[in-house]
Amino acid sequence: MKTKATFYHAGCPVCVDAEQNLAAALDPERFEVEHVHLGEQKSRVAEAEAAGVKSVPGLVIGGQPYHINFGAGIEALK
Amino acid sequence: MKTKATFYHAGCPVCVDAEQNLAAALDPERFEVEHVHLGEQKSRVAEAEAAGVKSVPGLVIGGQPYHINFGAGIEALK
């Protein structure tokens, strides 16, 4: 079974860059990556926060949050 | 040809976690990942800085630097 990874972003330049170069670099044989635009899906901000995401772009892999560079704080997306 | 990725770290807990869960998640078919412990290889700090790495753990993919969470600033490794 593949490990679930969720890439949370807000469409910002830092986010798009991380999406194209890092989220897209994960091994497709082992990971299933969901992309969530928190600016468009505000109902999922709480889920991201619960996973420990404090800023975007953020990548949650197997339940662990990884903040990649810094695009925007999650507070700005509420 | 595989894209070169370099994972710069300093053996810190944040670094080890990122190494095991993110650097190890890259697609081995497309990326060749080198692991560099800057605490043990201080001669490579300048190289990391030139690539844009400002803190560890840092992952440089295809020349672009990505800072993953925050373990230590690169200034602390000189």
Side-chain angles (χ1 to χ4, degrees), chain A residues 17-18 21-22 24-28 30-31 59 61 64-69, chain B residues 17-18 21-22 24-28 30-31 59 61 64-69:
Chain A
D17 180 76
N21 290 305
L22 189 51
L26 298 191
D27 184 355
R30 292 179 288 150
F31 299 92
L59 182 65
I61 302 181
Q64 291 297 311
Y66 298 95
H67 303 89
I68 303 158
N69 292 338
Chain B
D17 179 76
N21 291 304
L22 190 51
L26 297 191
D27 184 355
R30 293 180 287 151
F31 299 92
L59 183 64
I61 302 181
Q64 291 298 309
Y66 297 95
H67 304 89
I68 303 158
N69 293 340

Side-chain angles (χ1 to χ4, degrees), chain A:
Chain A
M1 203 177 96
K2 293 186 183 182
T3 298
K4 169 151 184 152
T6 308
F7 180 74
Y8 293 103
H9 69 103
C12 60
V14 173
C15 296
V16 172
D17 180 76
E19 185 166 30
Q20 294 176 340
N21 290 305
L22 189 51
L26 298 191
D27 184 355
E29 296 288 322
R30 292 179 288 150
F31 299 92
E32 183 168 337
V33 186
E34 182 186 9
H35 297 248
V36 178
H37 189 315
L38 290 177
E40 295 173 353
Q41 298 184 63
K42 288 186 183 293
S43 62
R44 297 188 66 175
V45 170
E47 162 201 311
E49 281 193 308
V53 175
K54 297 183 191 312
S55 62
V56 290
L59 182 65
V60 175
I61 302 181
Q64 291 297 311
Y66 298 95
H67 303 89
I68 303 158
N69 292 338
F70 183 85
I74 201 157
E75 293 296 328
L77 301 171
K78 291 182 180 176

Side-chain angles (χ1 to χ4, degrees), chain B residues 9-56:
Chain B
H9 68 103
C12 60
V14 173
C15 296
V16 172
D17 179 76
E19 184 166 31
Q20 295 176 340
N21 291 304
L22 190 51
L26 297 191
D27 184 355
E29 296 288 323
R30 293 180 287 151
F31 299 92
E32 182 168 336
V33 186
E34 180 185 11
H35 297 248
V36 178
H37 190 314
L38 290 177
E40 295 172 354
Q41 298 184 64
K42 288 186 183 292
S43 62
R44 297 190 65 176
V45 170
E47 162 200 311
E49 280 193 309
V53 175
K54 297 183 191 312
S55 62
V56 290

